Amino acid sequence: CLQIQVDDGANDDDIKTFISKKVSGKGLHVSGGLREEVESTLLSNADGMFLWVDLSAKTLKGSRTAREIRAKLHKLPQGLEKVYEASVTRILEQDDDVRTRALKILLWTTNAKRPLSREELKEALAIEPDMTKLDDESDNKIHDDSGFAAECGDFDSPKEWPLPPSPLVANGIPWKFVY
């Protein structure tokens, strides 16, 4: 039986570098002691998972004050499954229209056989049962996709268009949270 084993701490240096880039990137403005606190907390909780760091850093972004950053930092979910649960919970707590669209986006991206372009996703979202026609005049046609990433709880990011398959499937996380 073929196995891949990761030694504890074997990728700590790589994760430190990744964290440093995430913390110095756009949307997260920290310096000095706060920066060290953020980096230390992310590293100690990463458990060797780059994806956990990435999703957790996205959770911290958008905070305007050191107090907000610290509050979010201390509430970060432990483990990748808990991060996914928190993201899905954010989706489910949105208004009906936004929640429905976000779930459709995730369903289309998780079931796509290949990455979807922006236009393909917008067309897919416009499809409803019993439709016979879809054109530019359709009432269902989506013209602005700028809020999709926020609506999708950080599962999909517009920087990654065309969309890759969703991490929900790529990482084997079941859809039990959605149903």
Side-chain angles (χ1 to χ4, degrees):
C1 178
L2 182 62
Q3 293 182 341
I4 297 176
Q5 183 176 353
V6 178
D7 295 330
D8 265 353
N11 63 351
D12 278 356
D13 288 338
D14 294 330
I15 288 184
K16 283 180 189 176
T17 301
F18 185 69
I19 289 170
S20 180
K21 288 182 180 184
K22 285 292 180 184
V23 170
S24 63
K26 292 181 180 180
L28 185 59
H29 306 286
V30 294
S31 59
L34 180 58
R35 180 187 176 103
E36 291 173 14
E37 184 179 345
V38 168
E39 289 181 352
S40 172
T41 302
L42 290 175
L43 180 62
S44 66
N45 291 303
D47 197 26
M49 293 181 283
F50 290 90
L51 186 56
W52 182 90
V53 171
D54 184 55
L55 293 172
S56 295
K58 286 178 181 178
T59 298
L60 298 174
K61 287 185 179 188
S63 299
R64 304 285 183 227
T65 66
R67 180 180 300 197
E68 288 176 9
I69 291 171
R70 282 191 179 98
K72 286 183 180 180
L73 192 61
H74 295 294
K75 291 180 183 177
L76 287 175
Q78 299 295 310
L80 197 53
E81 187 170 332
K82 294 292 183 188
V83 171
Y84 281 132
E85 282 184 46
S87 292
V88 171
T89 298
R90 279 195 304 273
I91 291 169
L92 295 176
E93 291 174 347
Q94 298 180 86
D95 293 336
D96 288 343
D97 289 342
V98 175
R99 179 180 54 246
T100 299
R101 183 173 41 254
L103 293 174
K104 281 183 176 181
I105 290 169
L106 292 175
L107 287 171
W108 275 103
T109 58
T110 56
N111 290 296
K113 292 186 184 239
R114 62 171 177 73
L116 300 174
S117 70
R118 285 178 179 252
E119 290 305 313
E120 288 171 326
L121 181 60
K122 289 190 304 186
E123 284 186 17
L125 294 173
I127 297 171
E128 291 187 7
D130 300 325
M131 281 184 79
T132 58
K133 179 178 159 185
L134 178 65
D135 56 32
D136 288 336
E137 303 300 318
S138 173
D139 289 341
N140 295 341
K141 183 84 177 199
I142 295 175
H143 299 284
D144 180 18
D145 59 10
S146 60
F148 283 179
E151 292 174 2
C152 291
D154 300 322
F155 286 127
D156 292 317
S157 171
K159 289 187 287 185
E160 299 172 3
W161 293 88
L163 288 174
S166 171
L168 284 174
V169 167
N171 293 292
I173 302 299
W175 273 95
K176 67 180 179 183
F177 310 116
V178 177
Y179 298 115

